[in-house]
Amino acid sequence: MPIRVTIWNEFRHEKKKEAVAKIYPKGMHEAIASYLREASDLSIKTATLDEPEHGLTQAIVDQSDVMVWWGHVAHGEVQDAIVDRVHKRVISGMGLVVLHSGHFSKIFKKLMGTSCDLKWREEENEREILWVTRPGHPIVKDINDHFILPREEMYGEYFDIPEPECTFLISSFGGGEVFRSGCTWTRGAGRIAYFRPGHETFPTYHDKNVLKVIENAIRWAAPTPGPVAQMFGNRKLGWVG
Amino acid sequence: MPIRVTIWNEFRHEKKKEAVAKIYPKGMHEAIASYLREASDLSIKTATLDEPEHGLTQAIVDQSDVMVWWGHVAHGEVQDAIVDRVHKRVISGMGLVVLHSGHFSKIFKKLMGTSCDLKWREEENEREILWVTRPGHPIVKDINDHFILPREEMYGEYFDIPEPECTFLISSFGGGEVFRSGCTWTRGAGRIAYFRPGHETFPTYHDKNVLKVIENAIRWAAPTPGPVAQMFGNRKLGWVG
Amino acid sequence: MPIRVTIWNEFRHEKKKEAVAKIYPKGMHEAIASYLREASDLSIKTATLDEPEHGLTQAIVDQSDVMVWWGHVAHGEVQDAIVDRVHKRVISGMGLVVLHSGHFSKIFKKLMGTSCDLKWREEENEREILWVTRPGHPIVKDINDHFILPREEMYGEYFDIPEPECTFLISSFGGGEVFRSGCTWTRGAGRIAYFRPGHETFPTYHDKNVLKVIENAIRWAAPTPGPVAQMFGNRKLGWVG
Amino acid sequence: MPIRVTIWNEFRHEKKKEAVAKIYPKGMHEAIASYLREASDLSIKTATLDEPEHGLTQAIVDQSDVMVWWGHVAHGEVQDAIVDRVHKRVISGMGLVVLHSGHFSKIFKKLMGTSCDLKWREEENEREILWVTRPGHPIVKDINDHFILPREEMYGEYFDIPEPECTFLISSFGGGEVFRSGCTWTRGAGRIAYFRPGHETFPTYHDKNVLKVIENAIRWAAPTPGPVAQMFGNRKLGWVG
């Protein structure tokens, strides 16, 4: 059975800024989706903010094994009820891959418990080098010891996240800043990955290394098949022995 | 300068149930506070749900180095604005020691990002043995390799928390259940400890080992003196090099 | 391509004690191996202490994706050169599943960096209940929220191990002790699991839950296919930018 | 009672290379020691490789609360018996602060369980920027959000260490590399910090930020006073309940 993936995108920049539309004529979600559709073990859907229920009806969420999340200017427009729905699904096992400015999304902040704040610099067209810090991890399968994005937006530490369970990529930028660009956590039965690159004015989601990491992250975050044993509800217990 | 501690208690059971009032005539917070007031390096305040702003005005929160939290039946009555205030203060360095049924408090769930759910059993009166699983940690200073509470309420795994940074106590119960009874996490600059014992119908907060762990946890969770360097706000950066 | 598994057993008790031989006539390794051979994605070999090079020639080690390790009375007889060979292979990606008294093996202590000491009690015929503390983890696939071994040897905390990256099982024993019975770590590119049960005088390796956890652990610990990028050697670097 | 600190230095470069001797006429250990002696809560001793028992007699080790370790060309000359002595003392609570090329010392590798390998570049006189990634941690007390070393040797990822319990500093170098320059772990009751800077041909141990981090690390790593309860020995247990 394929892994059922829902790629969620705010999809605003692409409709409003010509420069962005040029790079992603059908939206960033479609750039990612069209790459992933080549993989026979993945079944790809997309959803965007301006669809009813943001494209995340209960049925869609229930049928998602992994969700990919990109947002930026409209985090506040995402309804709390939808965030709670996604959160509940993560706790019960759905994987979540949060991209770039998604660090400030409601769902990521709710899962992390921190401010998710960071340093940044106005688009400067900077070189980013991403270094692998956990070789052998499934998320960096087929990735060399580093890869370079010639132009990206700088994100710098301190990135206010809980100590990651695994830091698999650390970036340096032209200005000498560093950033934990690839991190993982577990929340309930759900696996969460944050992956930094993806500023909308650069062709980052056409980069083969970036796409490969997203693909790997989806497979890594997919839930273990089968029931999650007796985890839910405020359970009153009898005697087991 | 002493560590400024605010002990927050829901303070409802003590007012409504005679059995509880007998054990804690002035409330559980006062049982804990009166013990802690013996320590010359601690400055103790208390606050309770039914005070204005739950006793947690901005000034009180700003002047707290560590907060201790007990709640149970009235988690839902704690105002979201107050929860946000406490959360923000934890991120900027205040320590938080969450006790027993506080596992389901809004503040703990907000910091953890999980459901914080667990198993439990009505029948009271069970023996709990708490085993030290991180000897040498400041939170278990002067605690033997284990201690016993003759009567407590059972809490059982799975406890839906993020993988702790440190698990310092694990309990077993009369029924054969186990529970991670002492755990720590960091959120922003704030240190958080969860400590399980403290069912309101037992004299747990008169137990010397329990009080000692709370005292140790407060010292461990106290913020590092001095400013927390340039962490806050969504910071636009110039060039450092 | 199947996962190539080497099950290593000290294989002394079975040859010397009639009671053990009765339970495991061909050795504990064969009890485990015969179960695993049913899985079409696993290719099973065994190796024992008294074979040349303990059955762990360079070729065998190089062709192992995952190793399972049981030892007890003869840890000291395992040659350091063989331990170093296995250690090097773990760092470069081989998974390692350490069972029961293997906690005191040279290879486990070398990977952990601690004493790996624990409390124990002379065979007492005690009930062990193992509780799942990380539902959704691949290692507990198809395991209920707990399972019971009617007779096992007690191991108790403090277990001197580094804070696990994941604790997936915690046991309680008849005497009220607790133990972190399922733990994982990463060392280099290698994934390591410790799984507690398996005292030689009990039929533990005929228990279907125990066998299932071992099977799951092997799949979880199997290396990510493909090269581990530029990790090894003391590497002098040129300029990447 | 002051914290008893032993600063261990290989002390070979300073005796053989004039360039190094110019920067550290009495050795790197004395540069660090003379700074630390200003702190009234620290009691400072030094020890070097060529002293009898490398200056680490049983008495000296037993009376050390924290040890600082610098080594480079002569790791192999440190006797295994002395390494075991120091290791045993760390497990029972002594703190250890490992500096720079000490990453390849026998004691650090024994505690980590990994190869501790890394990338490096021939002395290139590069700018290193160290960014704080855990504000509020006692080790970065009084350190700004970053500090700069104008000339240092490059160390690059992948650094083969177990996932740190806390990463408090990450560096970038002139060449665009990154490195986890400040990390902590626990082994037994002992706290361990690794701190990267300190190539012998640069005046790094005269830098006030570097010295401050070492000072902070010592206080953080100091053992909790009092006995470490019943942790040691292979303990046969009776019944506790």
Side-chain angles (χ1 to χ4, degrees):
Chain A
M1 215 177 79
I3 300 168
R4 300 164 300 174
V5 182
T6 301
I7 302 171
W8 192 88
N9 184 13
E10 190 180 279
F11 197 29
R12 288 277 174 88
H13 291 299
E14 298 94 326
K15 292 188 275 191
K16 287 184 178 166
K17 287 192 195 174
E18 202 183 344
V20 179
K22 238 179 199 163
I23 304 171
Y24 301 112
K26 296 178 182 175
M28 283 181 279
H29 53 294
E30 270 303 323
I32 296 169
S34 70
Y35 167 82
L36 294 173
R37 285 194 193 101
E38 303 293 312
S40 60
D41 63 333
L42 305 180
S43 163
I44 308 296
K45 280 198 171 65
T46 64
T48 56
L49 180 65
D50 295 326
E51 297 172 46
E53 303 188 42
H54 314 321
L56 299 175
T57 61
Q58 189 67 55
I60 292 287
V61 170
D62 285 349
Q63 290 157 25
S64 299
D65 294 317
V66 181
M67 203 170 277
V68 177
W69 197 279
W70 198 102
H72 184 210
V73 286
H75 291 313
E77 295 180 41
V78 179
Q79 299 165 48
D80 288 340
I82 306 295
V83 174
D84 289 349
R85 183 184 289 167
V86 174
H87 182 263
K88 207 168 173 182
R89 178 87 179 118
V90 171
I91 298 301
S92 49
M94 185 181 75
L96 183 70
V97 179
V98 176
L99 299 176
H100 191 62
S101 41
H103 75 90
F104 255 170
S105 62
K106 288 182 180 179
I107 183 63
F108 189 60
K109 291 201 285 186
K110 190 177 173 77
L111 285 161
M112 294 294 105
T114 55
S115 71
C116 299
D117 217 340
L118 49 79
K119 293 197 185 79
W120 61 283
R121 186 158 42 224
E122 202 80 24
E123 287 167 35
E124 284 280 359
N125 220 347
E126 284 181 67
R127 179 199 67 175
E128 175 177 8
I129 312 182
L130 298 101
W131 294 91
V132 170
T133 49
R134 185 50 61 206
H137 194 291
I139 293 190
V140 292
K141 180 170 157 31
D142 298 329
I143 300 294
N144 213 325
D145 72 327
H146 73 280
F147 62 98
I148 301 180
L149 297 174
R151 302 165 62 207
E152 251 294 344
E153 183 189 31
M154 188 280 284
Y155 275 13
E157 295 281 350
Y158 170 64
F159 182 21
D160 184 25
I161 46 173
E163 203 69 34
E165 293 171 24
C166 170
T167 300
F168 59 91
L169 285 169
I170 298 178
S171 295
S172 74
F173 291 88
E177 292 84 6
V178 298
F179 197 76
R180 288 169 290 176
S181 287
C183 302
T184 71
W185 299 266
T186 310
R187 290 292 179 268
R191 286 188 271 281
I192 300 155
Y194 175 80
F195 181 41
R196 200 211 74 84
H199 193 60
E200 68 275 6
T201 59
F202 301 115
T204 299
Y205 296 126
H206 297 303
D207 181 273
K208 71 178 168 50
N209 283 305
V210 168
L211 290 167
K212 189 72 194 165
V213 170
I214 294 172
E215 179 186 352
N216 290 340
I218 288 167
R219 289 205 189 89
W220 167 82
T224 305
V228 175
Q230 289 173 242
M231 195 177 73
F232 304 104
N234 189 7
R235 297 135 302 168
K236 194 171 154 183
L237 213 69
W239 298 94
V240 302
Chain B
M1 218 178 77
I3 300 168
R4 299 164 302 175
V5 182
T6 302
I7 302 171
W8 191 89
N9 183 13
E10 190 180 279
F11 197 28
R12 288 276 174 89
H13 291 299
E14 298 95 326
K15 291 187 277 190
K16 289 183 180 167
K17 288 192 195 173
E18 202 182 346
V20 180
K22 238 179 201 163
I23 306 172
Y24 301 112
K26 296 179 181 174
M28 282 181 278
H29 52 295
E30 271 304 323
I32 296 170
S34 70
Y35 167 81
L36 293 173
R37 285 195 192 100
E38 303 294 312
S40 60
D41 62 332
L42 305 180
S43 163
I44 307 297
K45 279 196 173 64
T46 65
T48 56
L49 180 64
D50 294 327
E51 297 173 46
E53 303 188 43
H54 314 320
L56 299 175
T57 61
Q58 189 67 54
I60 292 287
V61 171
D62 286 349
Q63 290 157 27
S64 299
D65 294 318
V66 181
M67 202 170 277
V68 177
W69 195 279
W70 197 102
H72 184 210
V73 285
H75 291 314
E77 294 181 40
V78 179
Q79 300 165 48
D80 288 340
I82 306 294
V83 174
D84 289 349
R85 183 184 288 166
V86 174
H87 182 263
K88 207 168 174 180
R89 178 85 179 118
V90 171
I91 299 301
S92 48
M94 185 182 74
L96 183 70
V97 179
V98 176
L99 298 177
H100 192 61
S101 42
H103 75 92
F104 255 170
S105 62
K106 289 184 179 177
I107 183 62
F108 189 61
K109 291 201 286 187
K110 190 177 173 75
L111 285 161
M112 294 295 104
T114 55
S115 72
C116 299
D117 217 341
L118 49 78
K119 293 197 186 77
W120 61 284
R121 184 160 43 225
E122 197 82 23
E123 287 165 43
E124 320 211 335
N125 226 347
E126 280 181 70
R127 180 200 66 176
E128 175 177 11
I129 313 182
L130 298 100
W131 295 90
V132 170
T133 50
R134 184 51 59 206
H137 195 290
I139 293 190
V140 291
K141 179 169 156 35
D142 298 329
I143 299 295
N144 213 325
D145 72 327
H146 74 281
F147 63 97
I148 301 180
L149 298 174
R151 302 166 61 208
E152 252 294 346
E153 183 189 32
M154 189 280 284
Y155 275 13
E157 296 281 351
Y158 169 65
F159 182 20
D160 184 25
I161 46 172
E163 202 71 34
E165 294 172 23
C166 171
T167 300
F168 60 91
L169 285 168
I170 297 178
S171 295
S172 74
F173 292 87
E177 293 84 6
V178 298
F179 197 76
R180 289 169 289 175
S181 287
C183 302
T184 71
W185 300 266
T186 311
R187 291 291 180 268
R191 287 188 271 281
I192 300 156
Y194 175 79
F195 181 42
R196 198 210 76 83
H199 193 61
E200 68 274 5
T201 59
F202 300 115
T204 300
Y205 297 126
H206 297 302
D207 181 273
K208 71 179 170 49
N209 283 304
V210 168
L211 291 167
K212 189 72 193 164
V213 170
I214 295 173
E215 179 186 352
N216 290 339
I218 288 168
R219 289 206 188 89
W220 168 82
T224 305
V228 174
Q230 290 173 241
M231 193 177 74
F232 303 104
N234 189 8
R235 298 133 305 168
K236 193 172 155 184
L237 213 69
W239 299 93
V240 301
Chain C
M1 216 177 78
I3 299 168
R4 301 164 300 176
V5 182
T6 301
I7 302 171
W8 192 89
N9 183 13
E10 191 179 278
F11 197 29
R12 289 276 174 87
H13 291 299
E14 299 94 326
K15 291 188 277 191
K16 289 181 179 168
K17 287 192 194 174
E18 201 181 346
V20 180
K22 237 176 200 166
I23 306 170
Y24 300 112
K26 296 179 181 175
M28 283 180 278
H29 53 293
E30 272 303 324
I32 296 169
S34 70
Y35 167 81
L36 294 173
R37 284 195 194 101
E38 303 294 311
S40 60
D41 63 333
L42 304 180
S43 163
I44 308 296
K45 280 197 169 67
T46 64
T48 56
L49 180 66
D50 294 327
E51 297 172 45
E53 304 188 41
H54 314 320
L56 300 174
T57 61
Q58 189 67 53
I60 293 287
V61 171
D62 287 349
Q63 290 156 26
S64 299
D65 294 317
V66 181
M67 203 170 277
V68 177
W69 196 278
W70 198 101
H72 184 209
V73 285
H75 292 313
E77 294 181 42
V78 179
Q79 300 164 48
D80 289 340
I82 307 294
V83 174
D84 289 348
R85 183 184 287 167
V86 174
H87 182 264
K88 208 169 173 181
R89 178 87 179 117
V90 170
I91 297 301
S92 48
M94 185 181 76
L96 183 70
V97 179
V98 176
L99 298 176
H100 192 62
S101 43
H103 76 90
F104 256 170
S105 63
K106 288 182 179 179
I107 183 63
F108 189 61
K109 292 202 284 187
K110 190 177 173 77
L111 285 161
M112 293 296 105
T114 55
S115 72
C116 299
D117 217 340
L118 49 79
K119 295 198 184 76
W120 60 284
R121 186 158 43 225
E122 201 80 25
E123 286 168 36
E124 284 280 359
N125 219 347
E126 283 181 68
R127 178 199 68 174
E128 175 177 10
I129 312 181
L130 298 100
W131 294 90
V132 170
T133 49
R134 185 51 60 205
H137 194 292
I139 293 190
V140 291
K141 180 171 156 30
D142 299 328
I143 299 294
N144 212 324
D145 72 327
H146 74 280
F147 62 98
I148 301 180
L149 298 174
R151 301 164 63 206
E152 252 293 345
E153 182 190 32
M154 188 279 284
Y155 275 13
E157 296 279 352
Y158 171 63
F159 182 20
D160 184 25
I161 46 173
E163 203 69 34
E165 295 172 22
C166 170
T167 300
F168 59 92
L169 285 169
I170 297 179
S171 296
S172 75
F173 292 87
E177 293 83 6
V178 299
F179 197 76
R180 289 169 289 176
S181 286
C183 302
T184 71
W185 301 265
T186 310
R187 291 291 180 269
R191 286 189 271 280
I192 300 155
Y194 175 79
F195 181 42
R196 199 211 76 84
H199 193 61
E200 69 274 6
T201 60
F202 301 116
T204 300
Y205 296 126
H206 296 303
D207 180 274
K208 71 178 167 51
N209 283 304
V210 168
L211 290 167
K212 189 71 192 165
V213 170
I214 295 172
E215 179 186 352
N216 289 340
I218 287 167
R219 289 205 188 90
W220 168 82
T224 305
V228 175
Q230 288 173 242
M231 196 176 72
F232 303 104
N234 189 8
R235 298 133 305 166
K236 193 172 156 183
L237 213 70
W239 299 93
V240 301
Chain D
M1 217 179 78
I3 299 168
R4 300 163 300 174
V5 182
T6 301
I7 302 170
W8 192 89
N9 183 13
E10 190 180 279
F11 197 27
R12 288 278 174 86
H13 291 299
E14 298 94 327
K15 292 188 275 190
K16 288 184 180 166
K17 287 194 197 174
E18 202 182 346
V20 179
K22 240 178 199 162
I23 305 171
Y24 300 112
K26 296 179 181 174
M28 283 180 279
H29 53 293
E30 272 303 323
I32 296 169
S34 70
Y35 167 82
L36 294 173
R37 285 194 193 102
E38 303 294 311
S40 60
D41 62 332
L42 304 180
S43 163
I44 307 297
K45 280 198 171 65
T46 65
T48 57
L49 180 64
D50 294 327
E51 297 172 46
E53 303 188 43
H54 314 320
L56 299 174
T57 61
Q58 190 68 54
I60 292 287
V61 170
D62 286 349
Q63 291 157 26
S64 299
D65 294 316
V66 181
M67 203 170 277
V68 177
W69 196 279
W70 197 102
H72 184 209
V73 286
H75 292 313
E77 295 181 41
V78 179
Q79 299 165 48
D80 288 340
I82 306 294
V83 174
D84 289 349
R85 182 184 289 168
V86 174
H87 182 263
K88 207 168 174 181
R89 178 86 180 118
V90 170
I91 298 302
S92 48
M94 185 181 76
L96 183 70
V97 179
V98 176
L99 299 176
H100 192 62
S101 42
H103 75 90
F104 255 170
S105 62
K106 288 182 179 178
I107 182 63
F108 189 61
K109 292 202 286 187
K110 189 177 175 74
L111 286 161
M112 294 295 105
T114 55
S115 72
C116 299
D117 217 341
L118 49 79
K119 295 198 184 75
W120 60 284
R121 186 159 43 225
E122 201 81 24
E123 286 168 36
E124 285 279 1
N125 219 347
E126 283 182 68
R127 180 200 66 175
E128 175 177 10
I129 313 182
L130 298 100
W131 295 90
V132 170
T133 49
R134 186 49 61 204
H137 194 290
I139 293 190
V140 291
K141 180 171 156 31
D142 299 329
I143 299 294
N144 213 324
D145 72 327
H146 73 280
F147 62 96
I148 301 180
L149 298 173
R151 302 165 61 207
E152 252 295 345
E153 182 189 32
M154 189 281 283
Y155 275 13
E157 295 282 349
Y158 170 63
F159 181 22
D160 184 24
I161 46 172
E163 203 69 33
E165 294 171 24
C166 170
T167 300
F168 58 92
L169 285 169
I170 298 179
S171 295
S172 75
F173 292 87
E177 293 85 4
V178 298
F179 197 76
R180 288 169 290 175
S181 286
C183 302
T184 71
W185 300 265
T186 311
R187 291 291 180 269
R191 288 188 271 281
I192 300 156
Y194 175 79
F195 181 42
R196 199 212 75 84
H199 193 61
E200 69 274 6
T201 60
F202 301 116
T204 299
Y205 296 126
H206 296 302
D207 180 273
K208 72 180 167 50
N209 283 304
V210 168
L211 291 167
K212 189 72 192 164
V213 170
I214 295 173
E215 180 186 352
N216 290 339
I218 287 167
R219 288 205 189 91
W220 167 82
T224 305
V228 175
Q230 289 174 241
M231 195 177 73
F232 303 103
N234 190 9
R235 298 134 305 167
K236 194 172 155 183
L237 214 69
W239 299 94
V240 302

